[in-house]
Amino acid sequence: MRADQLIMNVKVYNSYYKRFDKNNVAVLDGRFMYVGPGGPEMIEADEVIDARGRYMIPGLIDIHLHIESTMVTPVTFSHGLIRCGVTSIVAEPHEMANVFGLEGVQEMMAASRETLVDMFYAIPSSVPATPMETTGGAIEIEDMDALLATGEIICLGEIMNYVDVIRDPDCKTNQILQHIRKNYPDLVIEGHTPKLLGLDLHRLIFAGVDSDHTHQSIEGLKARIAAGMFIEIQEKSMTPEVMDYLIQHDVAQHFCFVTDDVMPDSLVERGHLDHIVRKAIQMGMRPEDAIYAATSTPALRMKMTDRGSIAPGKVADYVLLSDLEQLAIDQVYKKGRKAYDDYELYKQDRSTGQFPAHFYTSVKLDKLTAADFAIRLSDPKVSGGTGSDFSGEGKEGEGPYACRVMMVKDGSTFVEEHIAPIPAENGELLWEDSEYGQIATFERYAVNGNRAHGLIGGDTIKRGAIATTYSHDNHNLLVVGRNREDMILAANTVISSQGGFCVVENGKVLAHLELPVGGILTEEPLAVVSHQVKELRAAMLSLGYVHYNPIMSISTHSLAVSPALKITDYGLIDVNAGKVVPLIV
């Protein structure tokens, strides 16, 4: 029998028994042909590899992530994934879709076709995420039909607007769900259901949403599994109690590991899905079970019948490990060909012009001035209604006024609402004289010129300013600051570079990450981006930000589906109520 490759003396992971067996493995035409004790006496191979007793596991599969979260292009992302043993992913490009609509999705897919990692795509289902924000593009039902006609779509991406699904039978998201279930009944539908329980949870599952990847509690985990929901465990859900539950109970078929969002420096320094598997093992999960949750169950969930295990007929994506407990990756093979070797130089060349020219000119904002950061009582988004009905203790136009404040909390991207008195004078809130900073957002697609202002406190910056167009999911210009001058400099620096991040203190730029592709991606190599993001994070922390991930924290201040008080160009959003609320109570 002829084979392209014969791997001998290797401990092979058997997904069906969740164990390692010492065997030989033959590969033919990019697929596993044979797994067993037979060697050269029965198989003639072009290449024979002596694994020297190492471990062989299937290539890791991440079924829920956003490439844009790493701020790099698909080619760069693939380069970073391979060395982590990740050989297949399901990407949902709803960030690029919010900037460019259908074209954004199509161009991300096009940029992924020549990557080494197999990149399957989810249709962004919630673009925009809510009807309470302005985006550069939208995904409509006819766009979904066009994408599904390509044959490159594997699922409907996370349904984020769960509030409307439950409360508004005629909302856009329900129309999408009904269309998909009627016309594509076999298509997997992904969900986003933070803190949902009881009747509301069951109504969402009844609507067709049968997975959740958000932060899990034991109560929520049990309720979801009991109702038939598939759970995608990302790192923030890997609490000791959740991991202990997964270890102690027979729920292996009901969950898998995913990354969702990984920063560039974290990808370089800690890894990707391999980091999650490694952490699960360190927290007491058997390596065999942790590997299963990053290979077999994600493949089963996404109906990837050709991968996820080392067995005849499966795609020959595999990883050779020198240490199972540490998940120490020596080599990674893609379709039977070596793609990464820990003992060889692994370098990425810079590639530019990967997208159409107009993807590099998407920030359509004039430079901002001090007047743009005045919080005027006459603004209906500030006072509610006409802006003429003030309830301050002094005369009309003077304070203090009871105002809603977005309170940032370390350990979470959730932002709580706090009510605080803010002084006012001459029809403006004197926010610079208070203990709180300002948060402002500016519509940057030249659609309507919307803008909104709010107040922010808690574990955020205590001085200086930060500006970014990397603001989920609308990606409008978001600015947080303690004084107008620094906010102006930060904002205008980002506008000038066609998107990115800028951190300023006392009129000096401390860090500037340019993201010129759609205002959210860079074409720089991963090593360069990793270094820039590391500097960015350090600069944010130097301003007094107290957060495990300040970049993710600030970029979700405009995510109007994540509790509890957020801001878009429509104004402050009461997420749980699903409505716009004024700054002044």
Side-chain angles (χ1 to χ4, degrees):
M1 177 65 70
R2 188 191 74 81
D4 296 324
Q5 188 181 66
L6 179 64
I7 307 100
M8 300 182 62
N9 188 27
V10 65
K11 296 169 186 170
V12 184
Y13 180 68
N14 186 297
S15 303
Y16 309 104
Y17 281 102
K18 296 184 195 171
R19 73 186 185 203
F20 284 91
D21 298 318
K22 190 171 182 179
N23 270 315
N24 298 328
V25 179
V27 175
L28 178 64
D29 296 334
R31 295 179 179 268
F32 296 114
M33 182 187 73
Y34 169 80
V35 181
E41 75 284 352
M42 61 181 282
I43 298 172
E44 182 181 341
D46 298 335
E47 178 186 22
V48 177
I49 299 171
D50 182 0
R52 305 187 307 278
R54 288 178 294 174
Y55 298 88
M56 176 191 279
I57 66 171
L60 305 183
I61 302 172
D62 192 338
I63 63 170
H64 184 88
L65 61 79
H66 311 283
I67 296 173
E68 303 98 316
S69 295
T70 312
M71 308 180 203
V72 295
T73 61
V75 169
T76 300
F77 195 56
S78 174
H79 177 85
L81 291 180
I82 283 291
R83 62 183 287 272
C84 300
V86 180
T87 54
S88 300
I89 65 169
V90 177
E92 187 197 326
H94 70 236
E95 315 298 357
M96 196 61 87
N98 272 279
V99 181
F100 293 112
L102 175 62
E103 186 187 17
V105 179
Q106 292 170 329
E107 290 298 332
M108 286 293 284
M109 292 170 67
S112 303
R113 290 188 186 120
E114 302 302 320
T115 59
L116 198 52
V117 170
D118 287 332
M119 296 187 175
F120 300 93
Y121 272 82
I123 298 177
S125 63
S126 304
V127 179
T130 73
M132 299 174 290
E133 57 198 304
T134 303
T135 59
I139 298 294
E140 306 296 343
I141 289 176
E142 55 268 28
D143 299 323
M144 297 182 179
D145 288 333
L147 290 168
L148 284 160
T150 66
E152 299 179 62
I153 296 298
I154 202 166
C155 68
L156 181 66
E158 58 180 302
I159 297 292
M160 300 182 71
N161 196 4
Y162 60 93
V163 173
D164 277 2
V165 172
I166 294 166
R167 298 180 183 177
D168 183 2
D170 299 320
C171 72
K172 176 182 174 181
T173 308
N174 273 323
Q175 292 173 27
I176 290 170
L177 285 169
Q178 290 159 15
H179 178 77
I180 294 296
R181 294 182 75 184
K182 177 182 177 182
N183 296 285
Y184 311 96
D186 296 327
L187 191 68
V188 174
I189 300 174
E190 292 287 272
H192 173 109
T193 61
K195 297 187 176 182
L196 217 55
L197 291 169
L199 178 59
D200 284 347
L201 175 64
H202 285 229
R203 288 176 67 187
L204 197 70
I205 297 172
F206 183 79
V209 182
D210 64 350
S211 80
D212 181 34
H213 70 277
T214 60
H215 196 165
Q216 300 296 326
S217 64
I218 290 295
E219 180 186 23
L221 187 69
K222 289 179 178 179
R224 282 156 176 71
I225 292 175
M229 195 173 241
F230 187 80
I231 310 300
E232 296 162 5
I233 299 289
Q234 56 174 297
E235 186 170 11
K236 67 183 178 183
S237 290
M238 295 175 74
T239 59
E241 56 271 19
V242 166
M243 290 304 297
D244 184 63
Y245 187 88
L246 297 176
I247 292 167
Q248 298 299 327
H249 294 81
D250 184 19
V251 293
Q253 298 302 115
H254 306 294
F255 81 95
C256 73
F257 292 124
V258 299
T259 57
D260 199 5
D261 304 296
V262 176
M263 291 286 116
D265 55 338
S266 179
L267 176 54
V268 170
E269 295 174 5
R270 298 196 307 167
H272 196 259
L273 192 58
D274 59 318
H275 165 69
I276 302 291
V277 174
R278 203 173 287 119
K279 183 171 181 175
I281 295 169
Q282 292 168 354
M283 295 183 75
M285 185 173 281
R286 285 194 328 139
E288 293 85 350
D289 294 331
I291 292 164
Y292 190 80
T295 55
S296 292
T297 43
L300 288 168
R301 167 66 184 170
M302 288 296 161
K303 302 178 183 178
M304 297 176 177
T305 57
D306 65 343
R307 65 196 67 208
S309 61
I310 300 170
K314 305 293 184 183
V315 175
D317 295 349
Y318 64 91
V319 183
L320 293 177
L321 306 172
S322 57
D323 187 307
L324 180 62
E325 294 290 330
Q326 297 299 320
L327 208 76
I329 296 172
D330 278 2
Q331 283 100 27
V332 180
Y333 285 77
K334 190 77 184 69
K335 295 179 181 175
R337 293 180 178 272
K338 186 162 68 173
Y340 170 79
D341 192 318
D342 193 44
Y343 302 97
E344 298 175 359
L345 181 65
Y346 188 64
K347 186 180 178 182
Q348 180 193 358
D349 295 325
R350 188 172 186 268
S351 178
T352 59
Q354 300 172 53
F355 292 86
H358 64 278
F359 274 51
Y360 302 86
T361 57
S362 65
V363 180
K364 297 175 171 62
L365 268 175
D366 293 329
K367 294 289 184 71
L368 301 181
T369 67
D372 294 306
F373 294 99
I375 304 181
R376 297 184 178 87
L377 300 175
S378 58
D379 182 352
K381 294 173 186 175
V382 173
S383 60
T386 63
S388 60
D389 181 20
F390 302 124
S391 56
E393 293 178 3
K395 64 182 181 179
E396 184 177 289
E398 297 184 3
Y401 291 96
C403 294
R404 291 181 169 87
V405 182
M406 296 170 57
M407 298 297 287
V408 179
K409 188 176 181 181
D410 186 16
S412 177
T413 54
F414 294 170
V415 175
E416 298 174 354
E417 179 184 299
H418 173 67
I419 307 299
I422 305 297
E425 188 176 274
N426 298 324
E428 290 186 16
L429 289 179
L430 302 180
W431 61 273
E432 288 171 289
D433 296 337
S434 75
E435 61 181 288
Y436 304 105
Q438 182 186 158
I439 180 167
T441 185
F442 302 85
E443 184 271 311
R444 56 103 160 179
Y445 302 104
V447 173
N448 52 33
N450 276 358
R451 57 185 59 193
H453 303 269
L455 299 168
I456 193 164
D459 294 331
T460 187
I461 60 172
K462 308 300 182 292
R463 54 195 170 274
I466 304 169
T468 184
T469 50
Y470 185 80
S471 52
H472 301 304
D473 274 348
N474 50 69
H475 299 293
N476 286 310
L477 177 66
L478 186 74
V479 191
V480 172
R482 289 288 178 161
N483 67 83
R484 298 189 202 200
E485 290 74 21
D486 284 348
M487 293 178 82
I488 294 165
L489 177 57
N492 289 339
T493 301
V494 169
I495 292 170
S496 297
S497 62
Q498 277 297 311
F501 274 94
C502 184
V503 180
V504 171
E505 183 179 15
N506 295 328
K508 179 182 177 182
V509 173
L510 304 183
H512 180 206
L513 171 63
E514 297 186 28
L515 299 173
V517 183
I520 58 175
L521 299 183
T522 175
E523 292 180 311
E524 293 293 335
L526 186 60
V528 173
V529 184
S530 170
H531 179 70
Q532 292 175 329
V533 167
K534 209 169 181 179
E535 289 185 336
L536 173 65
R537 181 180 286 106
M540 293 173 75
L541 294 174
S542 76
L543 299 186
Y545 218 127
V546 181
H547 202 280
Y548 76 98
N549 190 344
I551 297 172
M552 186 57 66
S553 171
I554 194 169
S555 68
T556 53
H557 287 351
S558 55
L559 185 58
V561 293
S562 176
L565 185 66
K566 296 296 175 77
I567 189 170
T568 74
D569 61 299
Y570 278 48
L572 290 175
I573 309 297
D574 182 330
V575 176
N576 294 328
K579 66 179 183 180
V580 179
V581 293
L583 175 59
I584 295 175
V585 180

